[in-house]
Amino acid sequence: MPVAMDRAELTTDQVLKRDIPWETYMSTKLISSTCLQLLKRYDHKPEAQRGPLLDEDGPSYVRVFLDILRSISKEETVEYVLALIDEMLAANPKRAALFYDKSLSGEDIYDPFLRLLWKGNWFVQEKSCKILTQLISARPKLQNGMVPNGEASNSKSKLTSIHDVLKGLVDWLCSQLRSPTHPNCSIPTATHCLATLLKETYVRTLFVQADGVKLLIPLISPASTQQSIQLLYETCLCIWLLSFYDAAVDYLSTTRVMPRLVEVVKGSTKEKVVRVVVMSFRNLLAKGAFAAQMIDLGLPHIVQNLKAQAWSDEDLLDALNQLEVGLKENLKRLSSFDKYKQQVLLGHLDWSPMHKDPNFWRENITNFEENDFQILRVLMTVIDTSTDTTALAVACYDLSQFLQYHPSGRLVVADLKAKDRVMKLMNHDNAEVRKNSLLCVQRLFLGAKYASFLQA
């Protein structure tokens, strides 16, 4: 939802300089006389005066703010009250607990902010998102069947449940990552809030269900400015938090998250960024195919370089040591075919030594039969769809090697209808692709008996 940029560039200080006609609102019965008295004591007063008022009667001020957001829709007033709440929480984040006071147990503390997320201008959206995130983080844990905003878990009450508010907030955050309302602020704001909210298991579930994981991957890239370093740190913090959740890890394994994280850790000197990336590596090391990927991307050597630097953070040093040990153990376990399989499945085909090593093909040719010749089928997909000339050339070469070393190679490859698919590449612009597709077609026609006379 695009917003007018003049309103999007509002600052809290500008908004708080406004004089809101509270008396007029009282005379038109939009606010009560009690509400007016509280506002007169609080409005335009320094923190030194507001602090004692909130200590003495904080929940009453919270009720006033919520009542105004519910009953008054004038944009300037809504912005003003949101700025008041934001300022109150910024001065002392523990004040978020005021919203959960027993005297407010019948109040729907989430609904005003949840509603404004989708309806307001950017200033309103950003403040509502920030306030909701703080309220959610501060809520007391479930006790005696009561959910924190006073609604019993078996109640028919119309109060917004914590599940509804979390779903609404996660949906809005994902929408900002997909189609930012504000060109410069939407993505940093959404990532900042997610870095807090993803500490909750239920939010991780919602985020994966909303297909949010893929929206973070493009944000993982080396950063130089202070603002971009903070965004990178919070994005990597989100990845680390997601690395504790199996469904998120399964999704991450289908993305290019690992090469991106490796690029970041190679180029970053910011300790907090390196720490959170290394801790993500440590979590992912034991999951799925990540260990093989890390080894393939040269992480053992990078870890040694990182260990040689003078870091002061104990958590980072511990994580580096654990990662080094884990990578060494995996390196011992990982056979050459495992490494090859990772290369193919991830689409990272290049001329690593195993492709042209006759021993590799002789020793591993029967492994190609796994999962109904899965590796061959993936090579065919590379041949059909890849735009990377090295990957195309290597895929054709590997197929020709399979034809040479497998006793039923021609029959298997013929079943895959490979001939026409490879022949298309014989007219490719790239000479290396042409050469290797020709080799593959020759072996397909001649068979293993004569194929050994053909040289790549």
Side-chain angles (χ1 to χ4, degrees):
M1 183 178 71
V3 295
M5 279 302 106
D6 56 339
R7 296 209 72 76
E9 305 307 332
L10 276 175
T11 67
T12 304
D13 286 344
Q14 286 172 328
V15 170
L16 289 173
K17 285 194 173 81
R18 294 176 186 164
D19 285 311
I20 304 297
W22 300 123
E23 282 90 351
T24 308
Y25 286 139
M26 192 195 82
S27 64
T28 52
K29 297 196 165 39
L30 286 169
I31 62 172
S32 67
S33 57
T34 311
C35 185
L36 179 64
Q37 291 309 312
L38 288 165
L39 284 165
K40 279 186 170 177
R41 273 187 237 156
Y42 190 89
D43 201 17
H44 292 300
K45 298 295 189 294
E47 172 61 24
Q49 281 176 256
R50 285 176 174 176
L53 292 174
L54 291 169
D55 292 341
E56 183 189 326
D57 201 10
S60 296
Y61 287 95
V62 167
R63 180 178 277 111
V64 166
F65 298 150
L66 291 171
D67 285 347
I68 294 168
L69 291 176
R70 275 192 214 101
S71 57
I72 297 172
S73 56
K74 190 172 173 61
E75 198 171 57
E76 286 83 354
T77 306
V78 169
E79 290 166 352
Y80 188 80
V81 172
L82 290 171
L84 281 180
I85 298 170
D86 183 49
E87 188 185 51
M88 173 183 93
L89 296 174
N92 182 357
K94 289 181 179 173
R95 288 173 179 162
L98 294 172
F99 285 77
Y100 297 103
D101 189 82
K102 282 180 184 172
S103 65
L104 295 171
S105 62
E107 294 278 342
D108 195 333
I109 63 170
Y110 302 128
D111 177 67
F113 307 107
L114 200 54
R115 204 165 21 82
L116 291 169
L117 273 183
W118 299 97
K119 290 187 178 173
N121 59 47
W122 173 250
F123 182 89
V124 168
Q125 289 180 11
E126 191 255 351
K127 289 284 179 268
S128 299
C129 165
K130 199 172 157 191
I131 293 164
L132 267 179
T133 300
Q134 285 175 282
L135 293 188
I136 288 162
S137 300
R139 76 187 191 281
K141 295 304 163 226
L142 196 67
Q143 285 181 336
N144 306 326
M146 294 296 289
V147 291
N149 60 340
E151 177 193 356
S153 53
N154 58 357
S155 160
K156 300 283 193 293
S157 162
K158 295 295 182 200
L159 296 182
T160 308
S161 74
I162 189 65
H163 287 170
D164 290 340
V165 76
L166 288 174
K167 186 172 186 324
L169 185 51
V170 167
D171 286 347
W172 184 81
L173 292 168
C174 288
S175 79
Q176 290 302 310
L177 292 174
R178 277 191 198 96
S179 310
T181 300
H182 188 287
N184 306 320
C185 301
S186 283
I187 288 173
T189 297
T191 311
H192 177 71
C193 290
L194 281 167
T196 298
L197 293 166
L198 285 167
K199 291 170 187 171
E200 301 213 15
T201 310
Y202 184 61
V203 175
R204 293 172 197 165
T205 307
L206 289 171
F207 190 62
V208 171
Q209 286 171 353
D211 208 13
V213 181
K214 71 178 180 190
L215 305 172
L216 296 174
I217 310 300
L219 306 178
I220 305 169
S221 58
S224 51
T225 66
Q226 196 57 47
Q227 190 181 10
S228 62
I229 287 169
Q230 187 60 22
L231 174 59
L232 174 62
Y233 167 68
E234 288 178 339
T235 304
C236 293
L237 185 55
C238 290
I239 297 295
W240 176 65
L241 290 166
L242 287 166
S243 71
F244 290 94
Y245 178 49
D246 286 346
V249 171
D250 290 345
Y251 188 91
L252 286 170
S253 69
T254 68
T255 71
R256 287 186 57 78
V257 69
M258 196 52 66
R260 283 178 170 273
L261 288 173
V262 168
E263 279 308 302
V264 164
V265 89
K266 270 163 60 178
S268 183
T269 53
K270 204 74 178 166
E271 195 164 43
K272 66 179 185 179
V273 174
V274 175
R275 181 184 69 234
V276 80
V277 173
V278 168
M279 287 166 73
S280 299
F281 287 152
R282 184 182 61 185
N283 275 9
L284 294 171
L285 185 64
K287 313 254 177 105
F290 284 112
Q293 239 187 305
M294 290 178 196
I295 290 163
D296 201 36
L297 290 163
L299 196 59
H301 182 62
I302 295 164
V303 168
Q304 285 191 327
N305 290 342
L306 287 171
K307 282 187 72 178
Q309 295 178 41
W311 306 108
S312 59
D313 189 303
E314 288 294 327
D315 288 342
L316 171 54
L317 295 169
D318 285 348
L320 279 169
N321 286 330
Q322 289 169 19
L323 187 57
E324 184 181 42
V325 170
L327 285 168
K328 278 179 182 168
E329 286 172 0
N330 275 279
L331 204 48
K332 284 178 204 162
R333 285 200 299 267
L334 210 57
S335 71
S336 57
F337 186 72
D338 287 326
K339 291 176 193 169
Y340 173 78
K341 191 173 168 183
Q342 286 316 309
Q343 248 193 42
V344 176
L345 296 180
L346 292 163
H348 299 159
L349 284 171
D350 57 29
W351 289 114
S352 52
M354 69 183 95
H355 295 276
K356 295 193 175 182
D357 178 2
N359 288 329
F360 168 78
W361 291 97
R362 272 194 291 271
E363 290 164 13
N364 291 293
I365 198 66
T366 55
N367 290 331
F368 282 79
E369 296 168 10
E370 288 177 7
N371 299 325
D372 192 25
F373 296 97
Q374 179 196 23
I375 293 290
L376 290 190
R377 286 186 280 112
V378 175
L379 287 174
M380 290 313 307
T381 303
V382 171
I383 285 167
D384 287 341
T385 61
S386 182
T387 54
D388 180 338
T389 53
T390 302
L392 286 171
V394 174
C396 288
Y397 180 82
D398 286 0
L399 201 58
S400 71
Q401 293 293 84
F402 176 80
L403 285 163
Q404 178 172 342
Y405 286 95
H406 197 284
S408 307
R410 282 211 296 170
L411 285 172
V412 173
V413 174
D415 278 349
L416 293 169
K417 299 183 172 48
K419 186 181 73 173
D420 293 341
R421 294 156 81 180
V422 176
M423 283 180 79
K424 285 178 187 171
L425 297 178
M426 288 169 63
N427 296 318
H428 198 278
D429 294 341
N430 181 274
E432 194 178 31
V433 174
R434 288 199 303 272
K435 180 178 99 171
N436 285 287
S437 60
L438 174 62
L439 174 69
C440 186
V441 170
Q442 285 172 328
R443 287 185 175 168
L444 193 52
F445 282 124
L446 292 172
K449 187 176 174 184
Y450 301 103
S452 57
F453 293 107
L454 296 167
Q455 295 301 312

